[in-house]
Amino acid sequence: MDSLRLIEQWPVDNAAVAVVRPDGTVAASHGDHERVFPLASVTKLLTAYTTLVAVEEGAVELDTPAGPDGSTVRHLLAHTAGLGFDEHTVYAAPGRRRLYSSAGFEQLADALAAHTGIDFAEYQKEALLQPLGMVDTRLEGSPGAGASSTLDDLIVFAAELQIPTLIDRSTLDTATTVAFPGLDGVLPGFGHQKPNDWGLGFELRDGKDPHWTGKRSSPRTFGHFGQSGTFLWVDPQAELACVALTDRAFGPWAARVWPEFTDALLAELG
């Protein structure tokens, strides 16, 4: 694929990239499928999906109180609990502002552990990683940014995000629809967005500009990127997902080459 040749121009030492169709087949790939990379905030997708499994199992509900006073599981997933970025300080009442928060995902994991009676990392292993066969994925730090994984494992997860097997389709649809619409906020690395739309743990493309996906990406595109130089997006309209793992921290280089790559990929396959 011509678009994958662009990866050779990325200013990174190692990159592992795969394009995944809904049935889990790999349309194209580049790099080492078994190399372990830190995911940074792509971890939030795993934490969010684990939470959705817990909701379907009846361990919690989206409106179960969790986090700061007045906040719920839904608020924490949607970054509207009012917590700071990486500190457990409340800056706003729940539902009033879109404040991107890794601390919120830590409090979310604590709530799940309290309701299930199982350490969150162990619950995630039993509820998500083992059923999907993601044998090389580990959560050894914050549920907001502390997982590591491989391209092979995330290919499986990217397929699950297109045709879910662990949760009902309607649950995934809810999670990838705007929660608390109309809230503005900062998309890390890309500045203030009006509005800054999120689902339940999933960042939504909608009409954001600038953005880490491409201009060809449909508004329905959802996913996440990480400060370790990683991303995972799903474009339901194109019926494609893409996983990219690198060993260089996110910066201007990524904001430049990721959208260019995504646009080339969608022009070729979308």
Side-chain angles (χ1 to χ4, degrees):
M1 286 180 58
D2 291 339
S3 53
L4 262 67
R5 294 194 182 98
L6 292 173
I7 299 167
E8 298 170 4
Q9 301 171 25
W10 291 6
V12 301
D13 291 329
N14 294 282
V17 179
V19 184
V20 187
R21 298 193 185 279
D23 64 1
T25 59
V26 176
S29 68
H30 170 98
D32 188 343
H33 282 229
E34 299 179 354
R35 182 186 179 94
V36 176
F37 292 84
L39 298 183
S41 284
V42 173
T43 300
K44 291 181 175 68
L45 296 182
L46 300 175
T47 298
Y49 211 78
T50 302
T51 303
L52 298 178
V53 174
V55 169
E56 292 217 346
E57 289 182 345
V60 294
E61 297 178 357
L62 289 175
D63 293 321
T64 296
D69 288 344
S71 174
T72 65
V73 168
R74 190 189 308 270
H75 286 108
L76 292 170
L77 282 168
H79 298 285
T80 59
L83 289 164
F85 172 63
D86 59 2
E87 70 274 11
H88 296 265
T89 302
V90 177
Y91 291 97
R96 298 292 182 86
R97 295 173 61 188
R98 188 88 63 192
L99 297 175
Y100 181 78
S101 177
S102 282
F105 272 65
E106 293 169 5
Q107 294 198 18
L108 175 64
D110 289 344
L112 259 66
H115 283 277
T116 63
I118 306 172
D119 175 76
F120 178 77
E122 183 60 30
Y123 181 78
Q124 182 173 81
K125 182 178 178 181
E126 295 177 6
L128 175 65
L129 305 181
Q130 287 181 342
L132 292 183
M134 297 173 65
V135 296
D136 294 314
T137 302
R138 302 283 186 274
L139 177 62
E140 298 174 325
S142 166
S148 59
S149 190
T150 63
L151 187 63
D152 271 344
D153 275 12
L154 291 183
I155 287 169
V156 175
F157 186 54
E160 174 70 16
L161 293 178
Q162 295 179 85
I163 300 180
T165 63
L166 301 182
I167 61 175
D168 190 78
R169 176 84 236 181
S170 64
T171 301
L172 180 59
D173 288 344
T174 296
T176 55
T177 301
V178 183
F180 305 97
L183 297 181
D184 300 341
V186 174
L187 177 62
F190 293 90
H192 205 262
Q193 303 283 340
K194 297 183 178 182
N196 188 22
D197 286 342
W198 289 76
L200 300 179
F202 298 89
E203 199 246 311
L204 307 181
R205 175 68 174 88
D206 282 357
K208 293 173 182 168
D209 186 29
H211 199 255
W212 54 277
T213 62
K215 293 189 180 298
R216 286 180 174 267
S217 299
S218 78
R220 296 173 58 202
T221 299
F222 62 87
H224 220 292
F225 81 90
Q227 288 293 323
S228 58
T230 57
F231 71 71
L232 190 163
W233 57 250
V234 176
D235 189 334
Q237 183 171 308
E239 297 186 328
L240 292 172
C242 185
V243 179
L245 306 173
T246 78
D247 57 1
R248 182 177 180 182
F250 173 85
W253 72 270
R256 175 177 56 83
V257 304
W258 288 352
E260 175 188 28
F261 167 70
T262 295
D263 281 337
L265 172 62
L266 291 174
E268 196 166 5
L269 286 180

